[in-house]
Amino acid sequence: MAYSFPEEVLEHVFSFLSSDRDRNAVSLVCKSWYDIERWCRRRIFVGNCYAVSPEMVIRRFPELRAVEMKGKPHFADFNLVPEGWGAYAYPWIAAMAEAYPFLEEIKLKRMVVTDDTLELISKSCKNFKLLVLTSCEGFTTDGLASIAANCRHLRELDLRESEVEELSGHWLSHFPDSCTSLVSLNISCLGSEVSFSILERLVARSPNLRTLRLNRAVPLERLANLIRRAPQLVELGTGAYSAEIRSDTFSNLADAFSACKQLKALSGFWDVVPSYLPAMYSVCSGITSLNLSYAAIPSTDLVKLISQCQNLQRLWVMDYIEDSGLDVLAASCKDLQELRVFPSDPFGAEPNVSLTEQGLVSVSEGCPKLESVLYFCRQMSNAALIAIAKNRPNFIRFRLCIIDPQAPDYLTLEPLDAGFGAIVEKCKELRRLSMTGLLTDRVFKYIGSHAKKLEMLSIAFAGDSDLGLHHVLSGCDSLRKLEIRDCPFGDKALLANAAKLETMRSLWMSSCSVSFGACKLLAQKMPRLNVEVIDERGPPDSRPESCSVERVYVYRTVASRQRLDMPDFVWTLDEDSSLRYS
Amino acid sequence: MENSTVEKEYIGDEELELGLGLSLGNASGEKGAAAYGNGGRILTAKDFPNGFACGTKRERAQKSASSSDPAALRQVVGWPPIRSYRMNSLLSQAKASNVAGEDDESSKKKMNHGGHLGFVKVNMDGLPIGRKLDLNAHKTYQTLAKALEEMFFSPSPHSRGGKEQTVKLLDGSSEFVLTYEDKEGDWMLVGDVPWGMFLNTVKRLRIMRTSEANGLAPKSQERNEKQKSKLI
């Protein structure tokens, strides 16, 4: 039947498929569909840059226009992956720049990107439009200058939380006067000043600019001028939100804000002076996303602002909001979908604010659409978690971080097994879970039995034995990413569930009880898994086999298992179980 | 690999498939012995003059983690799980802003992280890849130097039988010295100022060849000169 349609018709039909899963499914129907699909695929997502090689991607998909890729494992965000581990973007970019002269979009997360890489992109891809670098590092403002100078049609430059070596603030001036195509500019991660006049002129000549996220060094006095030049903005990130209290500065700012009829998202807000917050009131009713996670201001001021934002869907805030503020949130913002509460003083001996489990309970009661939570607090109880689970069975992401990672239920002093058990039992659509607190193997039994849609699980300082890990690996049908630190999980559960690991993207275990011998066995048995032993104490075979490794990172791969860019503290194992290091 | 003993450790009706471990053990038994280590020789304490950490850091970490002592909590790498981007921002906010209208003194107390949050980069002359070191895990120059010595100069397995290559970075006796870049962008020799002051001002570390470090003025002299120029 497939042959009765000309290729062009099938291609046209396939063009309506945007999800990778759908396209992958289509390509499995028959050879001819596989072929047609691969020639018309324009976007790919590579979740682990070592799972496949650039050559394989290029061979299969000759006409890509957009590539999205991730490198280091998530725990690299917390310094658990030693520097120099890998995830270099250059080999990918070099291969793709040659194969895809019409490449338009590159999105990289947790990868090492050098100035050479950026320069290569800017010079090879004549039609380059979009660069998003999330939590990347390795480049300087010189690399940004090449992008600015050479990408004539650049629409988006987004440096989300990347680490940039700032040699000069003048890279912005490399955008030629003829460049008027900018739609999105995010420089919020940069520490040093950029030239304000250049920024203003850039903004003024970009009529399509919808997203502008400034860095802290842009003072409040300059903000009004910038906004005035871009009343069409949809997303704005302020710089430092502080200035001497002056009525002309205030009215200037308030006027500028009132001209922005399309504003939906606000962020930035370093160094907030609360008296200036009312300048934004005119836009609050339209705001759906508010990131106040750097605003160190008391609850009363936070609450005054938030209660103006009746249509809020996403709120990121520090624990200064306190339980009382979360009560107000629960009462005012009925459309809330995502809440993140960050700690203002994570290392303080005593709590500095009155934020407890009660705040989360209130919000879960009051906000019927709440589905995504990241909550840092200092105490939790099973009763609270059970209440939260009953209130909000629609959770998709639930991440709880109790500052003391092995804190029991503060009321009963029991483990928090029952509480998290309730979460996984009631929240049938749960896709991501991070847990803390005193947790035994029992919680993993609950997770294995109930969390059938769980895709990502993060565990720290939990469990009693291998049984815990076994429950998770054998029970969680949809598991893709598992990251574990400081748990008494070891060889037995890992080896007994080796086949499961090939159905997942990756497994990270650090400071657990996985022996080198088990790593070798796993690598021997599973040729399509790369078992990386990451250990800074020297070669693992210089210690007894039964010795635990510091870290092991296991991921499935169809590329060669011997990546050539391993530093001297990473070992992978060949089929003949000899150690390899490049 | 253990076989039957393992199964007994699991409670009641839990069925643990150990087929994997078993079959591997049987099938590649002979090959296994040869593949694992040097002809099956039993390694003795003599092979490890520096000892070896066979356990995990978990025990130490768990102890630290379960106590509510904040200093101990800081010893645990990557806990609480807050991105360094955000941590650094917290620290610089603590210095800049007033909280709840209180004066600097008490706001400092509330947000006193006791020094430098986060990791510093450490580079060594001759090595292209740097490392990151958590300064919070140290309270003295001695422990810092020791950690760096272990990180960069640990003896290779081949020197097992013989001498240790100990490098002392702080006493000027070796080929290398430890230097740091301070907030003002100057490179200084490590070790002269009080530890707390060092924490507040260090941006990154560099293990420099002694020959190249000659340009650095003797530490106390340079400090005095700086002080003088500030007073003018």
Side-chain angles (χ1 to χ4, degrees):
Chain A
M1 266 321 218
Y3 298 99
S4 63
F5 285 120
E7 272 185 29
E8 295 79 19
V9 174
L10 279 172
E11 252 193 59
H12 183 68
V13 171
F14 294 167
S15 70
F16 292 99
L17 298 175
S18 50
S19 115
D20 284 336
R21 283 190 189 168
D22 289 343
R23 281 195 163 256
N24 290 345
V26 147
S27 65
L28 290 174
V29 167
C30 63
K31 272 191 173 174
S32 119
W33 279 36
Y34 175 92
D35 245 342
I36 295 168
E37 195 283 318
R38 76 183 188 93
W39 277 95
C40 68
R41 189 167 320 196
R42 297 283 174 262
R43 316 187 139 262
I44 53 154
F45 168 72
V46 178
N48 172 5
C49 63
Y50 291 122
V52 67
S53 73
E55 292 72 35
M56 295 169 100
V57 171
I58 292 167
R59 202 164 45 230
R60 180 170 172 189
F61 300 115
E63 306 255 309
L64 291 180
R65 298 264 191 278
V67 176
E68 183 178 347
M69 190 172 310
K70 295 187 181 180
K72 300 182 202 174
H74 174 238
F75 273 176
D77 283 354
F78 315 125
N79 292 315
L80 290 177
V81 179
E83 187 144 316
W85 172 80
Y88 302 103
Y90 191 81
W92 278 94
I93 303 296
M96 293 194 300
E98 201 185 305
Y100 305 126
F102 298 111
L103 192 61
E104 292 178 2
E105 299 183 11
I106 294 176
K107 294 185 195 172
L108 303 174
K109 184 168 185 177
R110 282 190 214 103
M111 294 192 76
V112 178
V113 180
T114 57
D115 285 347
D116 287 345
T117 314
L118 294 176
E119 194 178 336
L120 187 56
I121 295 172
S122 75
K123 294 202 166 139
S124 314
C125 307
K126 297 299 172 199
N127 219 20
F128 196 69
K129 296 199 168 87
L130 184 151
L131 183 66
V132 177
L133 300 175
T134 307
S135 307
C136 293
E137 47 160 356
F139 59 103
T140 77
T141 40
D142 286 352
L144 297 178
S146 349
I147 296 284
N150 301 318
C151 301
R152 301 279 145 154
H153 307 285
L154 193 68
R155 291 204 196 139
E156 292 192 33
L157 178 60
D158 189 338
L159 304 175
R160 281 176 221 188
E161 293 163 11
S162 291
E163 246 181 70
V164 186
E165 197 181 328
E166 300 175 55
L167 304 173
S168 115
H170 293 296
W171 66 273
L172 255 190
S173 62
H174 288 255
F175 278 110
D177 288 339
S178 54
C179 174
T180 57
S181 48
L182 269 186
V183 171
S184 169
L185 180 65
N186 178 358
I187 55 169
S188 54
C189 63
L190 298 181
S192 25
E193 267 185 25
V194 290
S195 154
F196 302 132
S197 54
I198 295 187
L199 187 56
E200 273 171 34
R201 290 210 305 273
L202 182 60
V203 169
R205 67 174 186 276
S206 305
N208 298 316
L209 194 67
R210 281 201 309 265
T211 300
L212 178 64
R213 298 205 197 271
L214 303 167
N215 63 337
R216 193 171 181 176
V218 177
L220 193 58
E221 294 90 343
R222 290 273 177 175
L223 188 61
N225 278 347
L226 281 164
I227 303 177
R228 227 184 273 284
R229 283 167 170 67
Q232 76 283 3
L233 278 179
V234 175
E235 300 183 329
L236 171 69
T238 73
Y241 206 79
S242 64
E244 254 178 54
I245 313 232
R246 294 174 49 145
S247 56
D248 54 350
T249 317
F250 184 94
S251 49
N252 230 354
L253 191 57
D255 284 345
F257 267 117
S258 59
C260 295
K261 308 285 185 203
Q262 327 251 26
L263 215 44
K264 291 231 172 317
L266 289 171
S267 60
F269 299 112
W270 290 278
D271 314 316
V272 175
V273 164
S275 322
Y276 275 104
L277 288 175
M280 295 191 314
Y281 283 179
S282 58
V283 296
C284 283
S285 57
I287 295 295
T288 56
S289 168
L290 190 52
N291 182 351
L292 292 167
S293 62
Y294 298 104
I297 52 177
S299 180
T300 42
D301 294 305
L302 287 166
V303 152
K304 271 189 217 147
L305 180 61
I306 290 168
S307 45
Q308 309 265 335
C309 304
Q310 311 280 346
N311 289 313
L312 204 57
Q313 291 172 14
R314 178 199 299 172
L315 176 67
W316 292 20
V317 73
M318 277 210 270
D319 56 9
Y320 291 121
I321 193 167
E322 300 190 315
D323 289 344
S324 54
L326 290 175
D327 287 339
V328 176
L329 178 68
S332 326
C333 302
K334 296 303 184 184
D335 273 351
L336 195 71
Q337 292 170 19
E338 178 181 328
L339 174 67
R340 295 196 191 188
V341 179
F342 295 96
S344 52
D345 188 16
F347 295 116
E350 296 300 322
N352 60 326
V353 291
S354 175
L355 179 106
T356 70
E357 81 282 7
Q358 196 45 50
L360 187 55
V361 174
S362 296
V363 181
S364 70
E365 250 170 47
C367 301
K369 299 189 188 168
L370 188 67
E371 57 179 31
S372 175
V373 162
L374 168 62
Y375 200 76
F376 281 83
C377 59
R378 284 172 186 264
Q379 66 187 38
M380 187 49 63
S381 66
N382 282 311
L385 283 170
I386 291 169
I388 290 165
K390 282 208 179 108
N391 290 334
R392 265 317 40 87
N394 46 321
F395 273 129
I396 293 179
R397 282 167 227 106
F398 189 79
R399 295 156 71 187
L400 181 71
C401 181
I402 308 171
I403 297 287
D404 173 0
Q406 292 187 309
D409 176 329
Y410 77 101
L411 295 169
T412 65
L413 297 184
E414 283 175 7
L416 289 172
D417 298 339
F420 281 104
I423 295 280
V424 292
E425 196 188 339
K426 296 278 189 310
C427 305
K428 305 214 188 292
E429 302 297 315
L430 196 67
R431 293 204 301 257
R432 183 169 180 182
L433 177 65
S434 307
M435 310 187 292
T436 36
L438 186 63
L439 296 164
T440 72
D441 282 349
R442 227 175 324 130
V443 75
F444 298 111
K445 186 169 182 176
Y446 298 145
I447 291 174
S449 318
H450 294 288
K452 296 304 182 186
K453 300 232 177 129
L454 193 66
E455 295 179 5
M456 181 169 178
L457 179 61
S458 312
I459 311 171
F461 303 100
D464 308 311
S465 74
D466 268 26
L467 198 49
L469 180 58
H470 174 64
H471 284 310
V472 170
L473 288 176
S474 57
C476 296
D477 299 333
S478 312
L479 199 61
R480 292 189 301 118
K481 290 181 277 184
L482 180 57
E483 45 185 25
I484 303 172
R485 64 163 297 179
D486 295 275
C487 297
F489 299 150
D491 304 343
K492 299 164 214 157
L494 200 57
L495 290 171
N497 292 283
K500 169 76 173 177
L501 298 179
E502 229 185 67
T503 69
M504 293 165 50
R505 181 187 297 170
S506 64
L507 165 69
W508 169 276
M509 292 179 73
S510 54
S511 305
C512 297
S513 312
V514 179
S515 72
F516 181 54
C519 293
K520 292 211 298 198
L521 267 177
L522 186 61
Q524 267 181 322
K525 186 65 186 174
M526 309 292 299
R528 291 202 297 187
L529 289 182
N530 203 357
V531 180
E532 289 193 15
V533 170
I534 303 168
D535 204 316
E536 292 177 289
R537 296 170 299 175
D541 58 1
S542 62
R543 292 179 289 277
E545 291 259 309
S546 52
C547 240
S548 300
V549 297
E550 281 180 350
R551 309 166 192 82
V552 60
Y553 184 45
V554 182
Y555 53 89
R556 64 181 175 190
T557 180
V558 292
S560 150
R561 294 212 298 189
Q562 312 310 328
R563 61 180 177 102
L564 301 173
D565 58 1
M566 294 189 295
D568 60 9
F569 51 84
V570 176
W571 287 267
T572 58
L573 297 135
D574 219 341
E575 268 94 27
D576 64 359
S577 80
S578 55
L579 270 183
R580 287 259 185 233
Y581 26 142
S582 58
Chain B
M1 284 291 291
E2 319 105 296
N3 30 52
S4 57
T5 41
V6 176
E7 282 170 2
K8 283 181 199 155
E9 285 167 43
Y10 289 86
I11 317 162
D13 36 307
E14 303 295 344
E15 256 187 35
L16 197 60
E17 280 292 309
L18 284 180
L20 206 61
L22 282 173
S23 62
L24 272 177
N26 289 338
S28 58
E30 291 157 358
K31 191 183 168 199
Y36 298 177
N38 312 308
R41 179 174 77 89
I42 296 172
L43 302 168
T44 67
K46 282 193 200 141
D47 299 311
F48 302 92
N50 298 323
F52 56 84
C54 202
T56 63
K57 290 186 197 137
R58 185 180 52 80
E59 280 176 24
R60 177 166 60 88
Q62 276 197 333
K63 272 195 203 146
S64 309
S66 55
S67 75
S68 50
D69 173 15
L73 205 55
R74 240 179 257 143
Q75 304 284 329
V76 181
V77 175
W79 194 268
I82 299 171
R83 305 206 34 235
S84 41
Y85 176 70
R86 188 171 286 283
M87 290 276 224
N88 293 339
S89 192
L90 270 183
L91 179 64
S92 45
Q93 288 235 79
K95 288 182 183 158
S97 72
N98 288 328
V99 176
E102 291 178 21
D103 60 36
D104 269 64
E105 280 279 11
S106 43
S107 71
K108 260 188 217 154
K109 273 193 209 132
K110 277 195 172 176
M111 297 173 112
N112 182 21
H113 304 283
H116 189 115
L117 257 185
F119 283 59
V120 284
K121 290 195 177 179
V122 189
N123 284 83
M124 180 164 125
D125 284 353
L127 290 187
I129 295 179
R131 298 293 189 89
K132 271 188 180 166
L133 182 84
D134 182 10
L135 280 182
N136 277 324
H138 299 279
K139 295 209 170 75
T140 64
Y141 286 117
Q142 276 62 41
T143 61
L144 172 64
K146 189 157 193 305
L148 288 173
E149 284 151 22
E150 270 165 32
M151 207 185 255
F152 287 94
F153 297 104
S154 54
S156 68
H158 302 297
S159 66
R160 240 183 259 163
K163 329 152 199 168
E164 280 175 24
Q165 183 203 356
T166 48
V167 173
K168 296 292 173 205
L169 286 171
L170 288 182
D171 61 7
S173 64
S174 80
E175 193 198 329
F176 290 95
V177 286
L178 185 57
T179 65
Y180 70 101
E181 185 184 12
D182 71 5
K183 275 192 200 151
E184 281 142 26
D186 299 318
W187 285 92
M188 319 281 285
L189 285 172
V190 163
D192 207 33
V193 301
W195 177 254
M197 197 187 294
F198 168 67
L199 279 193
N200 277 328
T201 189
V202 59
K203 269 177 30 186
R204 52 185 167 146
L205 296 169
R206 186 172 150 205
I207 299 173
M208 209 182 272
R209 278 188 229 285
T210 315
S211 46
E212 284 189 38
N214 283 336
L216 296 178
K219 319 145 218 181
S220 28
Q221 184 190 343
E222 191 160 322
R223 273 284 160 213
N224 288 339
E225 281 170 0
K226 277 193 169 185
Q227 297 287 1
K228 280 184 199 155
S229 58
K230 277 184 187 161
L231 286 170
I232 290 170

